[in-house]
Amino acid sequence: MNEGKPGTPGASEGPDGDFELARPNGTASPGTGPDGDYELRRPLDAAAAPSSTDGTSGAGAAAGPGRLGGTPGAEPTPAGPDAGTTIGGVRPADTGAEHITGVETVEHGAPAAPAPRAEPPASGHSGPAPVPGAEAPASGPTHPAPAHGAHAPAQPRPLHDPDPYSTPPYGEPGPWAPAPPVQHPAATPAHGVAVGAPEAVSAAPVAQEAPATDPWARYDPWAAPAVAPLQQADPVEEDVKRRRGRRRRTLIGGALIIALVSGVVGGVVGVQLERSGGIGAVELPQAGVEAPDRDPDSVAGIAAQALPSVVTLHVSGGGRAGTGTGFVLDDRGHILTNDHVVEPAGENGDITVTFHSGDTAEATVVGRDSGYDLAVVRVKGVRGLTPLPLGNSDNVQVGDPVVAIGAPFDLAGTVTSGIISARERPITAGGEKGDGSDVSYVDALQTDAPINPGNSGGPLLDGKGRVIGINSAIRSADGGLDPEGGQSGSIGLGFAIPINQGKRVAEELIETGKATHPVIGITLDMEYSGDGARVAAEGSDGGPPVSTGGPGAKAGIRPGDVITEVDGRPVHSGEELIVKTRAHRPGDRLELTLERDGEERTVSLVLGSSGGG
């Protein structure tokens, strides 16, 4: 079987309608032509069909009205007197035989127009032969076979040798391969438009179509392709379970993302809250930068002026050490402080002076007086010293503001402020030696400015920054009065030596190294418990209680007299009388009120002088 391909010349059809090759034994087979070539023949049942009266074969007539079968590729035979008899749509020639295919008839009454010869398809495949008596398909031409026993026209000799395998030459279909039926594709109507009935399509005028004999008549390679309009596909209903699963996965993924973002944000916020106590940077309201200058009468102004002239003293010697304060008296390097501050240095101790700038210098003792608890030291090789201005302690009134500067507990440059709590407060300090040689008598200024151990020797300044006293003692919590105040600290009871007294003593210490004390020339009974100061019956050294030729003797004072007032101010004890006396200079005149034998008397005297110790 050759898969429907037409056989080469000399082939004949088998009983099943297929083509077969005649045996090349030199004997003409029933299918050979007059010239001895091979010819094709149709099945035997096709020959039985009677020939039509119009010159067509019976097989072609059986195709139905208007549809005639024919060999594909045959040309139509025109009707005429010289047309002769046609057998199976083939007209015999006078000389030789010509194989003609592609004959097709049109409907009765319509002229048959010759169609251009179309190229067969490259595949060379032809359709099966039509069954006799059956209607040929409308889509293409039918292939009627010649009647049995009819004379077949002679075929032209092929241009090449016969192919025993019945295959056409390469590159093009065989010369007798029928072309497949091809027609123009119809345009697909738009979505929703009903497709036209087949009758409407076939009702087109036949005259406008190509002859039915040519299957390629409807093919137009240059015609614009019919493009069907795009349609929107109907939505496909999604599976419910799949949709729910996808929705569940979406929700779970969104929840995980939200949890992750919340964790990160929470961590950042937590760290921020831990660091600053709130979200964002903490910025509190603050005043702008102001000028550093202050009112000279304010505490800040006073401190700014005084601090460069206040020094801290570190004293050591004899196995003891102490810290105190002092202030500059002049540009020669003299510094005033308390006697109990420099006392640990003795004769060969060390005294180091530290200025507010941080510079230090070694100092030596110029003079000291334990009765007044004052001392002067001097530093050498220091320039640019600024002395503190001195005020007048007689002008001080209770309630005046004061500023104290010192180094409590070695905290240099400590500034405190307060007021004058009292004036002419008689105090005694010292007395550790037991013989009274170290007791100091001070007609002090009392202040509530905090004064602590280490403030001793520092200045007490008035509201204009002038020195009005030297801080010397505090009342401790145990009721004692000590220059250092123990270690109990300030309880608001501080005492300062008036600057008028300190000035006189400092001048004497700088000039002579010693200070003079004003004296009356009498011995007091320190055991007397009554009001006032009583003159003793005996002298302390075995001499007379009233010094011979002294100020008291000249004024007429006798042993046993009780002095009750000094310059009109009451005196309640012997210590007060000493304090009041030492508040004056030697040579000053005093008015004393005394009692003798129940009578009150007033005497006047000029104070004498004695060497200090």
mmCIF file of all heavy atoms in Angstrom, residues 14 27 38 55 91 130 167 201 204 215 227 234 253 318 323 346 380 402 424 429 482 491 530 540 564:
data_model
loop_
_atom_site.group_PDB
_atom_site.id
_atom_site.type_symbol
_atom_site.label_atom_id
_atom_site.label_comp_id
_atom_site.label_asym_id
_atom_site.label_seq_id
_atom_site.Cartn_x
_atom_site.Cartn_y
_atom_site.Cartn_z
ATOM 1 N N GLY A 14 -5.605 -2.010 -7.438
ATOM 2 C CA GLY A 14 -5.910 -3.329 -6.926
ATOM 3 C C GLY A 14 -7.369 -3.495 -6.677
ATOM 4 O O GLY A 14 -8.182 -2.598 -6.889
ATOM 5 N N THR A 27 4.504 -7.808 -21.708
ATOM 6 C CA THR A 27 3.154 -8.077 -22.181
ATOM 7 C C THR A 27 2.264 -6.986 -21.696
ATOM 8 O O THR A 27 2.268 -6.650 -20.518
ATOM 9 C CB THR A 27 2.657 -9.421 -21.661
ATOM 10 O OG1 THR A 27 3.595 -10.396 -22.074
ATOM 11 C CG2 THR A 27 1.281 -9.734 -22.204
ATOM 12 N N TYR A 38 2.183 2.093 -19.423
ATOM 13 C CA TYR A 38 1.266 1.732 -18.356
ATOM 14 C C TYR A 38 0.224 2.807 -18.223
ATOM 15 O O TYR A 38 0.492 3.974 -18.394
ATOM 16 C CB TYR A 38 2.019 1.573 -17.013
ATOM 17 C CG TYR A 38 2.998 0.416 -17.019
ATOM 18 C CD1 TYR A 38 4.349 0.616 -17.314
ATOM 19 C CD2 TYR A 38 2.554 -0.871 -16.744
ATOM 20 C CE1 TYR A 38 5.244 -0.416 -17.322
ATOM 21 C CE2 TYR A 38 3.461 -1.914 -16.748
ATOM 22 C CZ TYR A 38 4.794 -1.710 -17.035
ATOM 23 O OH TYR A 38 5.678 -2.720 -17.021
ATOM 24 N N GLY A 55 -22.511 13.018 -22.100
ATOM 25 C CA GLY A 55 -21.090 12.851 -22.372
ATOM 26 C C GLY A 55 -20.270 12.588 -21.172
ATOM 27 O O GLY A 55 -19.071 12.442 -21.281
ATOM 28 N N ARG A 91 -10.814 13.228 -22.693
ATOM 29 C CA ARG A 91 -11.013 13.304 -24.144
ATOM 30 C C ARG A 91 -9.813 12.715 -24.837
ATOM 31 O O ARG A 91 -8.692 13.132 -24.602
ATOM 32 C CB ARG A 91 -11.199 14.761 -24.549
ATOM 33 C CG ARG A 91 -11.532 14.896 -26.058
ATOM 34 C CD ARG A 91 -11.619 16.372 -26.386
ATOM 35 N NE ARG A 91 -10.321 17.018 -26.190
ATOM 36 C CZ ARG A 91 -10.151 18.338 -26.351
ATOM 37 N NH1 ARG A 91 -11.167 19.113 -26.700
ATOM 38 N NH2 ARG A 91 -8.968 18.869 -26.160
ATOM 39 N N PRO A 130 -13.899 8.612 -4.762
ATOM 40 C CA PRO A 130 -15.297 8.599 -4.320
ATOM 41 C C PRO A 130 -15.940 7.268 -4.637
ATOM 42 O O PRO A 130 -15.578 6.560 -5.555
ATOM 43 C CB PRO A 130 -15.920 9.740 -5.119
ATOM 44 C CG PRO A 130 -15.069 9.848 -6.343
ATOM 45 C CD PRO A 130 -13.682 9.492 -5.933
ATOM 46 N N THR A 167 7.242 7.123 -4.971
ATOM 47 C CA THR A 167 7.463 8.396 -4.267
ATOM 48 C C THR A 167 7.727 9.475 -5.268
ATOM 49 O O THR A 167 8.403 9.249 -6.281
ATOM 50 C CB THR A 167 8.647 8.299 -3.305
ATOM 51 O OG1 THR A 167 9.801 7.935 -4.059
ATOM 52 C CG2 THR A 167 8.414 7.265 -2.245
ATOM 53 N N VAL A 201 -24.569 30.876 4.081
ATOM 54 C CA VAL A 201 -23.221 30.891 3.524
ATOM 55 C C VAL A 201 -23.220 30.377 2.094
ATOM 56 O O VAL A 201 -22.581 30.923 1.201
ATOM 57 C CB VAL A 201 -22.290 30.069 4.423
ATOM 58 C CG1 VAL A 201 -20.904 30.009 3.812
ATOM 59 C CG2 VAL A 201 -22.247 30.677 5.806
ATOM 60 N N ALA A 204 -24.407 32.425 -1.324
ATOM 61 C CA ALA A 204 -23.644 33.457 -2.026
ATOM 62 C C ALA A 204 -23.647 33.191 -3.503
ATOM 63 O O ALA A 204 -23.720 32.043 -3.947
ATOM 64 C CB ALA A 204 -22.211 33.493 -1.503
ATOM 65 N N PRO A 215 -9.549 23.269 -6.387
ATOM 66 C CA PRO A 215 -9.678 23.411 -4.921
ATOM 67 C C PRO A 215 -8.916 24.596 -4.367
ATOM 68 O O PRO A 215 -9.133 25.008 -3.251
ATOM 69 C CB PRO A 215 -9.125 22.098 -4.411
ATOM 70 C CG PRO A 215 -8.190 21.630 -5.465
ATOM 71 C CD PRO A 215 -8.787 22.079 -6.782
ATOM 72 N N VAL A 227 -9.427 38.384 11.325
ATOM 73 C CA VAL A 227 -9.064 38.294 12.741
ATOM 74 C C VAL A 227 -10.331 38.369 13.562
ATOM 75 O O VAL A 227 -11.104 39.324 13.442
ATOM 76 C CB VAL A 227 -8.100 39.431 13.143
ATOM 77 C CG1 VAL A 227 -7.742 39.314 14.593
ATOM 78 C CG2 VAL A 227 -6.864 39.381 12.247
ATOM 79 N N ASP A 234 -15.036 33.688 30.299
ATOM 80 C CA ASP A 234 -15.933 33.654 31.454
ATOM 81 C C ASP A 234 -15.156 33.238 32.695
ATOM 82 O O ASP A 234 -14.264 32.388 32.638
ATOM 83 C CB ASP A 234 -17.069 32.655 31.209
ATOM 84 C CG ASP A 234 -17.956 33.121 30.065
ATOM 85 O OD1 ASP A 234 -18.000 34.337 29.832
ATOM 86 O OD2 ASP A 234 -18.582 32.256 29.409
ATOM 87 N N GLY A 253 0.034 34.724 57.424
ATOM 88 C CA GLY A 253 1.222 35.492 57.049
ATOM 89 C C GLY A 253 1.150 36.938 57.511
ATOM 90 O O GLY A 253 2.126 37.499 58.006
ATOM 91 N N GLY A 318 56.098 68.985 114.871
ATOM 92 C CA GLY A 318 55.949 68.432 116.214
ATOM 93 C C GLY A 318 54.969 67.283 116.273
ATOM 94 O O GLY A 318 54.333 67.069 117.314
ATOM 95 N N THR A 323 44.875 72.556 109.307
ATOM 96 C CA THR A 323 44.521 73.329 108.126
ATOM 97 C C THR A 323 43.724 74.536 108.578
ATOM 98 O O THR A 323 42.849 74.445 109.441
ATOM 99 C CB THR A 323 43.677 72.497 107.134
ATOM 100 O OG1 THR A 323 44.411 71.342 106.744
ATOM 101 C CG2 THR A 323 43.335 73.315 105.902
ATOM 102 N N GLY A 346 55.186 75.388 115.586
ATOM 103 C CA GLY A 346 56.212 75.667 116.581
ATOM 104 C C GLY A 346 57.288 76.543 116.013
ATOM 105 O O GLY A 346 57.009 77.499 115.264
ATOM 106 N N LYS A 380 57.452 84.737 100.480
ATOM 107 C CA LYS A 380 58.429 85.488 99.703
ATOM 108 C C LYS A 380 58.462 84.971 98.266
ATOM 109 O O LYS A 380 58.174 83.813 97.990
ATOM 110 C CB LYS A 380 59.810 85.358 100.321
ATOM 111 C CG LYS A 380 59.916 85.999 101.706
ATOM 112 C CD LYS A 380 61.323 85.883 102.266
ATOM 113 C CE LYS A 380 61.445 86.512 103.634
ATOM 114 N NZ LYS A 380 62.810 86.394 104.200
ATOM 115 N N VAL A 402 26.626 89.433 106.033
ATOM 116 C CA VAL A 402 28.048 89.128 106.031
ATOM 117 C C VAL A 402 28.292 87.887 105.178
ATOM 118 O O VAL A 402 27.391 87.072 104.948
ATOM 119 C CB VAL A 402 28.588 88.891 107.450
ATOM 120 C CG1 VAL A 402 28.593 90.187 108.258
ATOM 121 C CG2 VAL A 402 27.785 87.815 108.153
ATOM 122 N N GLU A 424 30.043 92.683 120.284
ATOM 123 C CA GLU A 424 30.764 92.721 121.557
ATOM 124 C C GLU A 424 30.391 91.534 122.429
ATOM 125 O O GLU A 424 30.094 91.673 123.637
ATOM 126 C CB GLU A 424 30.478 94.044 122.292
ATOM 127 C CG GLU A 424 30.916 95.263 121.506
ATOM 128 C CD GLU A 424 30.606 96.570 122.228
ATOM 129 O OE1 GLU A 424 29.959 96.508 123.313
ATOM 130 O OE2 GLU A 424 30.980 97.640 121.736
ATOM 131 N N ALA A 429 38.627 81.468 124.558
ATOM 132 C CA ALA A 429 38.901 80.227 123.845
ATOM 133 C C ALA A 429 40.293 79.757 124.222
ATOM 134 O O ALA A 429 41.148 80.538 124.645
ATOM 135 C CB ALA A 429 38.797 80.435 122.340
ATOM 136 N N ASP A 482 35.278 76.358 121.379
ATOM 137 C CA ASP A 482 36.624 75.977 120.983
ATOM 138 C C ASP A 482 36.963 76.679 119.687
ATOM 139 O O ASP A 482 36.103 76.872 118.825
ATOM 140 C CB ASP A 482 36.691 74.454 120.801
ATOM 141 C CG ASP A 482 38.102 73.975 120.553
ATOM 142 O OD1 ASP A 482 38.846 73.812 121.531
ATOM 143 O OD2 ASP A 482 38.447 73.767 119.357
ATOM 144 N N ILE A 491 26.632 75.078 114.190
ATOM 145 C CA ILE A 491 25.230 75.058 114.628
ATOM 146 C C ILE A 491 24.639 76.458 114.555
ATOM 147 O O ILE A 491 23.622 76.756 115.171
ATOM 148 C CB ILE A 491 25.092 74.490 116.049
ATOM 149 C CG1 ILE A 491 25.902 75.330 117.033
ATOM 150 C CG2 ILE A 491 25.512 73.037 116.092
ATOM 151 C CD1 ILE A 491 25.690 74.924 118.505
ATOM 152 N N GLY A 530 29.562 86.327 142.017
ATOM 153 C CA GLY A 530 28.569 87.384 141.991
ATOM 154 C C GLY A 530 28.601 88.156 140.691
ATOM 155 O O GLY A 530 29.385 87.908 139.770
ATOM 156 N N SER A 540 48.660 87.327 142.233
ATOM 157 C CA SER A 540 48.891 85.968 141.746
ATOM 158 C C SER A 540 50.347 85.542 141.962
ATOM 159 O O SER A 540 50.631 84.366 142.144
ATOM 160 C CB SER A 540 48.538 85.864 140.264
ATOM 161 O OG SER A 540 49.318 86.795 139.507
ATOM 162 N N THR A 564 31.391 97.008 138.177
ATOM 163 C CA THR A 564 30.110 96.589 137.583
ATOM 164 C C THR A 564 29.890 97.146 136.174
ATOM 165 O O THR A 564 29.080 96.569 135.408
ATOM 166 C CB THR A 564 28.955 97.057 138.456
ATOM 167 O OG1 THR A 564 29.014 98.496 138.638
ATOM 168 C CG2 THR A 564 29.030 96.411 139.840
#
